[in-house]
Amino acid sequence: MPLNLQERPIFMIGAERSGTTLVMALLGCHSRIAVPEVVWYYPRFYPYLHTYGDLSVEANFRTLAQEMVFGLKTPFWGMKVNPRTIVDEVIELAPERSFAGLYAGMHLRFAQYVNKPRWGEKTPHNLYFVGPMHHDFPNAQFIYITRDGRDASVDYMESSFGPTNIYCAAQSWKRCWNAVKEWREPLREKGLWLDVRYEELVREPEKVMRGVCEFLGEDFEEGMFEFYKTDMCKARGASRDHAPLGKPISDKYVGIHKDLLSLRDQRIFAAVAGKELEEAGYTNTVEPEMPSQRMVEKYLEFDGRIRAATLDGFEGHIVFESYNDWLVDQREERRKQGLWDPATSPKVFPAGDPDEEYIIGLRASDKWKKHFSIKRRYVGDVVL
């Protein structure tokens, strides 16, 4: 059943490389808002909840709780906890015996840890699950961060995850933009949706964050701009992919596509996502040029190959990928045990979608991981 929490949850969404982490860091420094690291709970668990069986059965509910609690990329979100009791603590805090209840319980546990009354969460691909999230948390507020798709594509292609060429990057950005279209106005009318443009945020941070706080019903606090001094931002800032988080807000990353995308790549982006770019309020400055079908096939194949081959490379995501793969294996084990049957189970988005693996958070497809014999790797004290 829907959960109307007294302190309304805050969901920060947007295409990856669009400034969602910056907003997460800013709001996480508000004295009333607890924002942990990303969780990917809706993409990773929601489409496959039927594979756990009846959650009113204690064993099934506990299995889901264990996989959620122990599957964080940052173990326990950095909380100092007793691994033997943390699952029980989260279950006790869960408002109901459901996925949404566990989701709330986990965030309430973090909010308790940092001594704040309200919680928020940032996972970019939650944008594909706005409908279920609004159903589960009817009074939750959504903040959608938009960035020029050409700049986001540059960051994507230079990062250690995500699309590796302009065609695939443009397709990803386009799909993210279109995924929330049906929800933007209905939720805005309810006072539950706010659009934030990355370029305005980094150029006029105080003005934009005052607007964000007004939307959330919170007082504006200057201390939010001290985000780069937090442990989370220092850790992320030490990596190449998130280096800007280790410093105060800067607008130096606005318009980077003009220098870092070739003219041909800009034309390809315009052909693939030009319509959506203009809908988002940006101006196309080049004539569109769609690659031939043969080139499109090459872009898609090489993207798959590179994603898999670089998983265990420089700042790769092999550990997190390994856990996501393990979740897939666990679903198969439950099928063998008879907890669910593909023939009679519901088909929930994105199951069966061509981009299913990427939407749920995998950084490479199973096909290419097997092709390159990518070995799984677990580190730390994660209990599986």
Side-chain angles (χ1 to χ4, degrees):
M1 61 183 291
L3 297 175
N4 278 292
L5 303 182
Q6 183 175 356
E7 293 282 357
R8 295 188 291 177
I10 306 164
F11 296 123
M12 293 145 272
I13 57 177
E16 289 184 289
R17 316 308 292 171
S18 293
T20 55
T21 306
L22 175 58
V23 175
M24 172 184 80
L26 286 162
L27 288 181
C29 282
H30 193 283
S31 64
R32 277 183 35 86
I33 304 172
V35 186
E37 269 283 12
V38 295
V39 294
W40 288 86
Y41 278 168
Y42 270 89
R44 291 162 64 189
F45 292 100
Y46 183 81
Y48 314 106
L49 290 177
H50 61 275
T51 72
Y52 292 88
D54 184 353
L55 292 182
S56 66
V57 176
E58 179 66 22
N60 298 341
F61 186 68
R62 180 166 288 272
T63 294
L64 175 60
Q66 289 172 334
E67 291 186 3
M68 291 174 68
V69 170
F70 288 106
L72 300 172
K73 184 178 180 181
T74 303
F76 310 123
W77 286 326
M79 296 186 290
K80 294 180 180 179
V81 302
N82 184 340
R84 294 183 180 274
T85 63
I86 182 60
V87 172
D88 290 323
E89 293 170 24
V90 170
I91 288 176
E92 185 176 349
L93 287 170
E96 66 176 28
R97 290 297 177 108
S98 67
F99 165 73
L102 285 173
Y103 187 100
M106 189 67 185
H107 286 83
L108 288 169
R109 178 65 176 82
F110 180 79
Q112 283 185 356
Y113 183 78
V114 296
N115 195 29
K116 296 182 181 182
R118 192 176 183 184
W119 58 265
E121 196 267 300
K122 168 257 174 176
T123 293
H125 281 195
N126 278 350
L127 60 86
Y128 289 108
F129 301 90
V130 172
M133 295 176 78
H134 178 52
H135 172 271
D136 291 342
F137 301 98
N139 65 347
Q141 294 178 283
F142 292 82
I143 301 174
Y144 189 94
I145 300 92
T146 302
R147 183 187 183 191
D148 188 319
R150 296 162 295 189
D151 288 347
S153 293
V154 169
D155 267 351
Y156 242 154
M157 293 188 290
E158 293 195 346
S159 72
S160 56
F161 61 90
T164 59
N165 60 62
I166 190 58
Y167 178 83
C168 292
Q171 285 282 14
S172 178
W173 187 88
K174 172 182 179 178
R175 183 156 195 182
C176 288
W177 174 259
N178 287 327
V180 302
K181 275 187 177 181
E182 64 179 301
W183 294 104
R184 178 173 270 111
E185 289 309 317
L187 292 183
R188 194 197 312 274
E189 291 175 2
K190 295 180 180 180
L192 302 177
W193 186 280
L194 178 69
D195 281 299
V196 170
R197 183 174 292 200
Y198 169 81
E199 292 80 7
E200 294 176 357
L201 172 61
V202 297
R203 285 171 171 159
E204 299 182 276
E206 181 172 333
K207 176 183 176 182
V208 171
M209 290 309 296
R210 284 186 179 277
V212 169
C213 289
E214 181 179 358
F215 166 71
L216 297 176
E218 301 287 353
D219 292 334
F220 171 78
E221 295 180 358
E222 291 280 355
M224 291 186 291
F225 298 119
E226 300 291 303
F227 66 90
Y228 60 94
K229 298 179 181 179
T230 64
D231 291 340
M232 185 273 286
C233 287
K234 287 179 181 178
R236 283 199 175 226
S239 70
R240 190 226 170 274
D241 289 343
H242 297 285
L245 282 179
K247 301 175 183 178
I249 293 178
S250 169
D251 65 358
K252 67 181 291 186
Y253 301 99
V254 174
I256 56 176
H257 72 275
K258 297 174 184 177
D259 292 327
L260 299 177
L261 282 186
S262 69
L263 181 58
R264 181 167 181 263
D265 278 358
Q266 292 181 48
R267 288 174 173 166
I268 291 173
F269 186 97
V272 174
K275 174 176 172 288
E276 288 74 16
L277 188 71
E278 292 183 350
E279 287 177 357
Y282 301 92
T283 303
N284 278 309
T285 57
V286 299
E287 289 295 318
E289 178 186 332
M290 183 63 76
S292 67
Q293 184 58 36
R294 185 176 180 182
M295 274 302 300
V296 168
E297 292 171 358
K298 180 179 179 179
Y299 277 133
L300 292 172
E301 177 174 334
F302 276 43
D303 181 59
R305 287 176 175 271
I306 294 171
R307 282 174 179 254
T310 55
L311 271 175
D312 57 356
F314 178 71
E315 294 187 354
H317 288 243
I318 187 63
V319 176
F320 192 50
E321 188 77 359
S322 296
Y323 186 80
N324 284 337
D325 284 338
W326 183 83
L327 286 177
V328 175
D329 288 348
Q330 294 307 105
R331 292 199 288 270
E332 176 61 15
E333 287 300 313
R334 291 193 293 274
R335 183 194 66 78
K336 293 178 181 178
Q337 295 167 12
L339 275 177
W340 67 287
D341 182 350
T344 58
S345 295
K347 193 172 184 179
V348 181
F349 176 85
D353 189 279
D355 295 326
E356 176 181 355
E357 291 172 301
Y358 297 147
I359 289 172
I360 67 173
L362 289 169
R363 294 306 183 181
S365 70
D366 186 59
K367 168 187 173 181
W368 291 112
K369 284 184 286 194
K370 287 180 177 177
H371 177 82
F372 289 108
S373 300
I374 302 298
K375 295 181 180 179
R376 298 182 185 180
R377 185 184 308 162
Y378 299 99
V379 297
D381 299 323
V382 177
V383 179
L384 300 177

